Amino acid sequence: MKRLLLLSLVLISSVGFAQQSSRLPDNKELVTRARSYYVETDTFYMKREALESSLLGQAEFKAWDLQITGKQELADMVVRVKRVPFSNHFSYTVTDRATDTIVMAGKVDSLAGTVYGRIAKEIVEKMVALRGNPLPAHKETQQAATH
């Protein structure tokens, strides 16, 4: 009788854990818990190092204490940039590596080397919308403007 009761408790517990783990976290949760990023690009016109530098140069990226890694398997998020052939259109996605969930995507049109900064700025703006602004002075300015 004790074995049957113990077996029943174990089965009920495992079913409860299985149901919890099958739920995918939402984008806000994935972006908020991410701490490291990996950048990859498939085009000669978009150097990985330049986008990494642009991301690290964003004040919010620094305030969140985020890192960029050169090893995809160590990253929480993967930033992929592609260029539409024979154009100045660059599309990007930011994907949670563990769940393969795309949490952000966009397209930037750019000439003369401004694509790095534009993509970095757009990614950080989308992160601010999901995580909140980490810069206190900017928050006070926004609150004063809305009152």
Side-chain angles (χ1 to χ4, degrees), residues 2 10 13 29-30 36 45 55 61 69-70 85-86 91 104 110-111 113 133 138 144 147:
K2 288 182 182 180
V10 169
S13 296
E29 190 177 336
L30 291 171
S36 58
Y45 298 99
L55 283 168
F61 206 84
T69 178
F86 309 109
S91 62
M104 289 179 245
S110 177
L111 289 173
N133 194 329
H138 189 66
H147 292 295

Side-chain angles (χ1 to χ4, degrees), residues 87-113:
S87 74
N88 62 335
H89 307 297
F90 294 84
S91 62
Y92 68 88
T93 58
V94 179
T95 306
D96 178 72
R97 192 183 56 78
T99 64
D100 206 28
T101 302
I102 296 174
V103 296
M104 289 179 245
K107 185 177 86 169
V108 171
D109 296 330
S110 177
L111 289 173

Side-chain angles (χ1 to χ4, degrees), residues 48-60:
R48 190 182 102 215
E49 296 83 3
L51 181 55
E52 291 170 345
S53 177
S54 290
L55 283 168
L56 289 170
Q58 298 289 315
E60 294 88 349

